[in-house]
Structure formats: C-alpha cells, structure tokens
C-alpha cells in the first residue's frame, strides 16, 4: 500500500509541473475583420524552452480578403520580412519560403479559424528587440506589436 501511495503522489506532482509549464509558455492572440490584433504586446518568460502560440480570427471574412498571420522577427528585420512576405503571396502564407529572418510564423487564417504553432526561444535574447506582425498586404501598419522575453528568475 505504501508503494502505491508514493507513486500516485509522484504522478500528481509531474502533472502539476507539466500544467504549470504549459500555462506559463502558452500565448494567445485574436484578430478580427477590422484589421486588428487583440494585443500590442506579448510576454514570455526566458525559462520557456518552447512557446505555444494560438492565433484566432473572430471575424467572418475569408482568408483571401481579411486573412491574418502572426510572424515573429527581430525589430530590425520586420520591415524587410514584411515586404518580402507580401510578394511571396497567399500560397506561401505571405512569408518568403526559407526566410531565415523569420523566427516563427503561423499560416494565414480567415474568419472563424485558428492556428497553433510551437517554437523555441532558446536562441533568442531576453530583453532583445523582437516584434510580431501580420504580413497580409497592407496590414503591417495596423497589425504589429512587441514580443518580450523577460527574466523572472
Ligand atoms: Co492581417
């Protein structure tokens, strides 16, 4: 009986640890038919090895008319990545294929859709200048924000 008891305590502890990790390293952001993201800043802890990001689109317009993606780069690369992305077309989710400046990106989604991606921040700098934006043509000016990696340890 004693052995069984110990094992169940251990299992509960592992479940809690996994839940806490997932909660701290998961991000969500909504987009809409008014060409807006719901947040202009996203923050993750530097201890996250992997970040899970979910992009939703609470509008009703289709992806070829009011599509949105979520693209992460350094601030310095953002303008150029956006320019190249627009030219890459919807068939490439408005991201230039194999673009090494892109740290992470979702596909382009339309109203009622959502996309979840997982990416590593291990090679990024805490306190560095990163930004997220939508590369659907014409959206960059309105749909962008700051991506912050903070040290809470
Ligand atoms: Co957009």
């Amino acid at each position: 009986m004693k052995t069984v008891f110990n094992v169940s305590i251990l299992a509960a502890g592992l479940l809690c640890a996994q839940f806490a990790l997932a909660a701290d390293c998961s991000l969500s952001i909504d987009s809409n038919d008014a060409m807006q993201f719901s947040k202009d800043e996203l923050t993750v802890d530097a201890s996250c090895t992997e970040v899970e990001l979910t992009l939703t689109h609470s509008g009703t317009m289709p992806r070829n008319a009011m599509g949105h993606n979520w693209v992460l780069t350094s601030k310095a690369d953002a303008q150029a990545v956006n320019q190249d992305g627009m030219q890459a077309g919807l068939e490439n989710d408005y991201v230039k294929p194999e673009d090494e400046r892109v740290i992470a990106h979702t596909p382009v989604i339309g109203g009622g859709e959502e996309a979840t991606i997982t990416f590593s921040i291990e090679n990024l700098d805490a306190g560095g200048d990163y930004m997220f934006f939508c590369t659907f043509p014409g959206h960059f000016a309105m749909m962008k924000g700051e991506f912050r990696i903070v040290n809470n340890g």
Side-chain angles (χ1 to χ4, degrees), residues 12-22:
L14 286 172
L15 280 173
C16 286
Q18 283 179 349
F19 182 77
L21 189 66

Side-chain angles (χ1 to χ4, degrees), residues 8 25 44 47 75 87 113 116 127 136 152:
S8 64
C25 302
V44 289
S47 67
K75 271 185 189 163
Q87 290 175 16
E113 298 176 340
T116 298
F136 191 99
N152 284 333

Side-chain angles (χ1 to χ4, degrees), residues 31-32 35-37 66-69 134-136 139-140 143:
S31 57
N32 62 27
M35 208 192 295
Q36 295 166 323
F37 280 131
M66 185 53 74
H68 303 303
N69 62 7
C134 174
T135 57
F136 191 99
H139 289 200
F140 181 84
M143 300 187 72

Side-chain angles (χ1 to χ4, degrees), residues 71-86 94 99 101-103 129-135 140-141 143-145:
V71 179
L72 177 65
T73 70
S74 70
K75 271 185 189 163
D77 287 336
Q79 290 273 6
V81 166
N82 179 59
Q83 286 294 330
D84 291 345
M86 285 194 290
Y94 292 115
D99 191 336
R101 299 166 298 182
V102 174
I103 298 162
D129 286 329
Y130 301 102
M131 66 182 286
F132 64 85
F133 46 93
C134 174
T135 57
F140 181 84
M143 300 187 72
K144 61 190 178 203

Side-chain angles (χ1 to χ4, degrees), residues 16-107:
C16 286
Q18 283 179 349
F19 182 77
L21 189 66
D24 287 340
C25 302
S26 293
L27 299 171
S28 62
I29 186 167
D30 187 44
S31 57
N32 62 27
D33 284 346
M35 208 192 295
Q36 295 166 323
F37 280 131
S38 59
K39 298 171 182 172
D40 60 11
E41 182 180 309
L42 290 168
T43 302
V44 289
D45 195 277
S47 67
C48 294
T49 51
E50 292 221 308
V51 172
E52 184 184 84
L53 176 123
T54 298
L55 170 68
T56 54
H57 188 323
S58 58
T60 59
M61 293 174 71
R63 69 193 284 273
N64 63 353
M66 185 53 74
H68 303 303
N69 62 7
W70 185 94
V71 179
L72 177 65
T73 70
S74 70
K75 271 185 189 163
D77 287 336
Q79 290 273 6
V81 166
N82 179 59
Q83 286 294 330
D84 291 345
M86 285 194 290
Q87 290 175 16
L90 182 57
E91 66 271 28
N92 289 309
D93 292 300
Y94 292 115
V95 175
K96 182 178 141 188
E98 312 295 324
D99 191 336
E100 291 182 355
R101 299 166 298 182
V102 174
I103 298 162
H105 75 91
T106 69

